[in-house]
Amino acid sequence: MKKGLAYYRFCLKAEAKYRVNFIAYLLHGFIQLVAVLFIWNLVYSSTDSGVIEGLNYQEIILYTIISMITTQFMVLDNDFQIAGDIQDGNLAYELVRPVSYITKLFFQGIARSTTSIVLVGVPSIIGVIIYLSQQESLAIALSRACLFLIIVTLSVGLMFCVNLLFGYSAFYLNYSWGFLLFKGTFISLLSGALFPLAMLPESIRGFFLKTPFQYMLYFPTMVFLGKLSPEEIVTNLIIQVIWLGIFILLCVVFWRHAIKTITINGG
């Protein structure tokens, strides 16, 4: 843990150093958010009731903002990191260092997401709490926010494991970047980052809700939005923990197998 925290502090300083890169990331996120809001405005203006699958216009705006907040926690990039280390030959050096390579990846990923969480996520969460407190009560808004943060913590672990599994593809592929880019689009679709899964046809929605990917974004977002009952929250939370355990086990198994078949290109 001590060595991991040292990596965290080092990477956090590195993230703060490249200010232009971070500003560009913020502008990208802001432009994307504005574009999505315009699209939802057009969609809802064409409906008679102003409600689509139980979500009105104000709620879909909140969903978009909360999903953006959740995304800030998922900026880990450990899949590209491990793929780059394998293909550049740096993994050979990482494996002989006196710290677990996976531990290093985890704390590096947390450091990458910390800056965006502090500058974007925290102010946005406060804004959502203020808005919800005007609709219901401050106590309810705060309880939802706390539950949201607990669930998102598990979601970060799940995202880290999924990224690891996809990053391990570099052990078997000579070029894995296209595969990892496909993974990003695939998870965005199945996690509800592009739109609420509730808006899908029932047959497709049922399939998407059975995958582990909805627990990365859709589940915590709907909890913060107050669209799930206490029974649904408890049930989904238990399933999320089970999925996290399964993916941790898969990461361990695939790592032990992949490390035996490693081929270093370059270096």
Side-chain angles (χ1 to χ4, degrees):
M1 180 62 70
K2 185 177 180 180
K3 294 176 181 178
L5 291 175
Y7 271 112
Y8 173 79
R9 290 192 296 268
F10 174 79
C11 295
L12 193 60
K13 291 178 181 178
E15 288 294 314
K17 182 178 180 181
Y18 299 103
R19 296 182 181 88
V20 175
N21 182 56
F22 182 71
I23 292 173
Y25 171 77
L26 290 181
L27 288 176
H28 169 266
F30 176 76
I31 294 172
Q32 186 178 37
L33 176 63
V34 172
V36 171
L37 293 181
F38 271 117
I39 292 173
W40 284 123
N41 182 56
L42 290 173
V43 170
Y44 273 84
S45 63
S46 62
T47 62
D48 297 328
S49 62
V51 177
I52 301 178
E53 295 297 335
L55 295 173
N56 58 36
Y57 181 68
Q58 289 75 23
E59 289 173 333
I60 199 63
I61 297 301
L62 269 182
Y63 179 93
T64 303
I65 294 173
I66 296 172
S67 64
M68 179 198 70
I69 296 171
T70 309
T71 302
Q72 306 309 310
F73 288 82
M74 307 297 169
V75 188
L76 302 174
D77 292 335
N78 54 303
D79 48 351
F80 285 96
Q81 179 68 45
I82 190 172
D85 286 340
I86 293 170
Q87 292 169 353
D88 295 340
N90 293 330
L91 186 62
Y93 302 101
E94 297 291 347
L95 293 177
V96 297
R97 290 183 177 177
V99 61
S100 167
Y101 178 61
I102 304 302
T103 300
K104 174 193 170 183
L105 287 177
F106 178 76
F107 282 98
Q108 278 184 337
I110 296 299
R112 289 192 183 98
S113 63
T114 296
T115 307
S116 57
I117 291 171
V118 171
L119 296 181
V120 180
V122 173
S124 300
I125 289 175
I126 294 174
V128 172
I129 290 174
I130 293 173
Y131 176 82
L132 292 177
S133 64
Q134 295 175 348
Q135 306 299 314
E136 296 173 302
S137 70
L138 181 59
I140 293 177
L142 287 174
S143 63
R144 286 185 192 169
C146 292
L147 187 56
F148 167 80
L149 292 174
I150 293 172
I151 294 172
V152 163
T153 301
L154 297 173
S155 300
V156 170
L158 191 58
M159 186 68 180
F160 178 78
C161 291
V162 170
N163 280 350
L164 274 185
L165 290 174
F166 277 91
Y168 291 164
S169 65
F171 282 108
Y172 308 98
L173 302 175
N174 288 327
Y175 188 79
S176 60
W177 295 99
F179 183 66
L180 296 181
L181 290 174
F182 165 77
K183 182 270 302 182
T185 304
F186 180 75
I187 290 181
S188 294
L189 176 62
L190 268 67
S191 67
L194 301 179
F195 50 81
L197 299 182
M199 293 187 174
L200 291 170
E202 186 174 352
S203 57
I204 301 177
R205 181 173 68 242
F207 169 74
F208 277 33
L209 292 178
K210 287 181 173 61
T211 69
F213 305 107
Q214 66 124 338
Y215 297 101
M216 297 177 184
L217 191 144
Y218 180 74
F219 173 48
T221 300
M222 294 299 279
V223 168
F224 204 169
L225 200 57
K227 286 296 182 178
L228 297 179
S229 66
E231 293 78 12
E232 290 174 322
I233 293 174
V234 172
T235 300
N236 281 280
L237 191 55
I238 293 173
I239 296 174
Q240 184 183 29
V241 172
I242 293 173
W243 273 119
L244 179 58
I246 291 173
F247 274 95
I248 290 174
L249 180 61
L250 288 174
C251 286
V252 172
V253 172
F254 274 91
W255 172 256
R256 290 179 178 176
H257 177 269
I259 204 67
K260 297 178 182 177
T261 60
I262 182 174
T263 299
I264 298 295
N265 298 321

